[in-house]
Amino acid sequence: MSYPSIYPTGVTVYNPEKCWSGYTIFPARELGALLIDMNGAEVNLWKGLHGFPNKLLPGGYVLGHTGERSNAFGMQDQIDLVQVDWDGNVVWKFNQHEYIEDPGQEPQWMARQHHDYQRAGNPVGYYVPDMEPQVDKGNTLILCHRNVKNPKIADKVLLDDVIIEVTWNGEIVWEWNCNEHFDEYGFSEEAKNILFRDPNMRSAGGGMGDWMHINSMSVLGPNKWYDAGDERFHPDNIIWDARESNIIAIIEKKTGKIVWKVGPDYNASPELKKLGWIIGQHHAHMIPRGLPGEGNILVFDNGGWAGYGAPNPGSPTGAKNALRDYTRVLEFDPVTLEIVWQYTPIEAGFIMPVDASRFYSPFISAAQRLPNGNTLITEGSGGRLIEVTQEHELVWEYISPYWGEKMKLNMVYRAYRVPYEWAPQAERSQEVAIKPVDVTTFRMPGASNSRKKETVVDGVWPFQGDGALCVAADEELDK
């Protein structure tokens, strides 16, 4: 696809009448945790604070990390999880998960946290009415890494995903290890074959297999399914998703066993076929009670490349054998697997499939349900944050102006919208509407917007509006 080299950054669209307005926090690339208002004004920058992700808590507290382990020895290992106040003072810290002695480095305790964590009081880490995360007490669930060997999976060192529960005083009181449940994931023999030979080997630490790559983890919380007697959805149970295997699963907190999942094979039932292949997904979670769509699963279905299975022309070995070059944001019923709401290139107004990759983030990204039914979407790879209504109208858009110097991307891992009241130290911002610019007439200074002559040619036929492109598109695909 073609992308312009010049385009505006910051807020480009804002409709105050249709938005759920508040502050938005996100990790600005190689800068720190950045809190902005609806017009893009920077309310507070916690400079240098890493965010995998950053989350704002009531009272103006922010969660993040003070550093990342060297990529020579670990992959995406955050050294700790810290809570800092409005002025940057550390008021809580956890790092004592594993004592690390990397060659040439100062030995130290590390959390090895990655991708997610949840503070007690709130199941998902974003604003939910009457479910405020605790700020001066309470346990924290943390998604971490651990290197393991499991010959049932592969004969190589595996970078395994571990979920731990930590008290306010730093004591680990619960733990779940992903590799110990290998037989519950439903991998086919073809998938096991390629997984054994290539468990997504990464170069860090001399080579390790990032075989599942769990990238989100949250608690279900109170929900209508459990109230109706379905024990799979016990409020304490935990939902996670793994991008390398295309699995979304719920584990029973009491036993650690898988009690619900979709993937890795989306051809396994008529319901899964109708749901369609979820590929390389991020931020799968149950919409909490009190928000529109409560009880449904909301997920940023990246597309891209992921999965293990049979070889095909796009995957000669069977590694990353599911491919799609556009993104879907899905809200689906976890019992029937029916899609309740979605935002795909079609809802974004793009022609399928020829223009579909204009809504596409093959890695990172997220989706948050807002109290008015809108959805905040982090289209992460391009640093684009948007808010869309239930009717798919885009009512807010922000493009991060922060490109990294070490990595030339303005990527945003995950953004969260929070109410103004959660940052009482900040002066309430004005909300100024920003209407979308008509790009057909917008020109840079010095660029012409005139036509010097228009010539009539006799006998020409009118242009057609149909889709007779070189490839089938739109309605033709459904025939």
Side-chain angles (χ1 to χ4, degrees), residues 29-30 363 402-411:
R29 185 70 192 167
E30 296 178 26
F363 69 111
Y402 295 107
W403 273 260
E405 293 184 0
K406 298 172 182 175
M407 180 179 282
K408 298 294 184 184
L409 286 173
N410 67 334
M411 57 183 272

Side-chain angles (χ1 to χ4, degrees), residues 33 35 43-49 56-63 82-91 422-426:
L35 189 71
V43 177
N44 197 354
L45 168 68
W46 288 267
K47 194 171 183 179
L49 188 67
L56 194 81
L57 303 179
Y61 296 100
V62 65
L63 288 159
V82 298
Q83 177 179 329
V84 303
D85 65 17
W86 186 253
D87 298 314
N89 302 301
V90 176
V91 298
W422 280 20
Q425 301 88 346

Side-chain angles (χ1 to χ4, degrees), residues 436-443 448-451:
V437 170
D438 181 356
V439 297
T440 65
T441 57
F442 177 77
R443 298 289 187 276
S448 173
N449 194 22
S450 65
R451 179 179 298 149

Side-chain angles (χ1 to χ4, degrees), residues 51-335:
F52 207 23
N54 292 122
K55 297 183 182 182
L56 194 81
L57 303 179
Y61 296 100
V62 65
L63 288 159
H65 329 279
T66 62
E68 182 180 1
R69 185 183 183 186
S70 168
N71 290 331
F73 308 107
M75 205 193 88
Q76 301 185 325
D77 290 353
Q78 307 302 306
I79 63 173
D80 54 25
L81 178 63
V82 298
Q83 177 179 329
V84 303
D85 65 17
W86 186 253
D87 298 314
N89 302 301
V90 176
V91 298
W92 181 84
K93 175 178 179 176
F94 173 78
N95 64 355
Q96 299 207 357
H97 174 224
E98 186 174 341
Y99 192 71
I100 301 295
E101 297 178 279
D102 289 330
Q105 308 285 316
E106 185 73 23
Q108 60 181 297
W109 283 97
M110 288 189 189
R112 297 193 69 186
Q113 182 274 345
H114 68 97
H115 285 96
D116 221 340
Y117 50 83
Q118 305 297 341
R119 174 63 56 75
N122 178 294
V124 293
Y126 63 69
Y127 176 72
V128 182
D130 302 321
M131 289 190 192
E132 290 198 350
Q134 298 178 343
V135 299
D136 57 0
K137 59 183 178 181
N139 293 359
T140 306
L141 283 172
I142 307 176
L143 181 58
C144 301
H145 276 145
R146 184 175 296 157
N147 292 18
V148 302
K149 287 190 175 182
N150 186 335
K152 184 182 288 187
I153 302 171
D155 57 356
K156 303 169 179 66
V157 173
L158 299 173
L159 184 67
D160 201 32
D161 296 300
V162 180
I163 303 173
I164 60 174
E165 181 173 357
V166 178
T167 68
W168 182 259
N169 295 321
E171 182 185 1
I172 298 173
V173 293
W174 183 84
E175 181 175 304
W176 179 85
N177 297 277
C178 184
N179 82 93
E180 295 175 358
H181 300 269
F182 179 64
D183 292 335
E184 301 172 43
Y185 299 133
F187 288 113
S188 67
E189 289 305 312
E190 290 171 317
K192 289 178 182 176
N193 185 302
I194 182 58
L195 182 51
F196 187 87
R197 291 181 287 124
D198 180 8
N200 187 32
M201 290 302 292
R202 306 298 300 268
S203 59
M208 58 183 75
D210 186 19
W211 69 292
M212 287 287 268
H213 197 96
I214 292 180
N215 61 36
S216 72
M217 174 276 304
S218 58
V219 180
L220 298 185
N223 63 82
K224 59 185 178 184
W225 314 114
Y226 180 72
D227 291 348
D230 195 331
E231 291 285 340
R232 297 176 299 171
F233 304 107
H234 190 287
D236 292 341
N237 290 353
I238 295 168
I239 183 171
W240 52 255
D241 73 62
R243 72 140 280 142
E244 283 304 317
S245 62
N246 301 328
I247 295 173
I248 303 172
I250 294 174
I251 60 173
E252 187 180 49
K253 179 76 180 295
K254 191 165 52 178
T255 64
K257 292 183 177 178
I258 305 293
V259 292
W260 176 97
K261 72 176 178 66
V262 293
D265 180 4
Y266 289 84
N267 292 328
S269 72
E271 292 79 12
L272 285 167
K273 284 184 177 179
K274 192 173 180 182
L275 179 63
W277 277 79
I278 292 175
I279 303 171
Q281 73 283 359
H282 281 75
H283 203 202
H285 62 279
M286 179 173 282
I287 299 173
R289 173 167 288 171
L291 291 175
E294 64 178 60
N296 293 330
I297 305 300
L298 187 63
V299 57
F300 190 97
D301 174 15
N302 295 68
W305 48 92
Y308 305 94
N312 61 54
S315 171
T317 66
K320 299 175 177 52
N321 72 329
L323 306 165
R324 195 184 66 233
D325 60 359
Y326 63 87
T327 285
R328 308 185 298 170
V329 175
L330 302 178
E331 175 189 348
F332 66 92
D333 183 316
V335 176

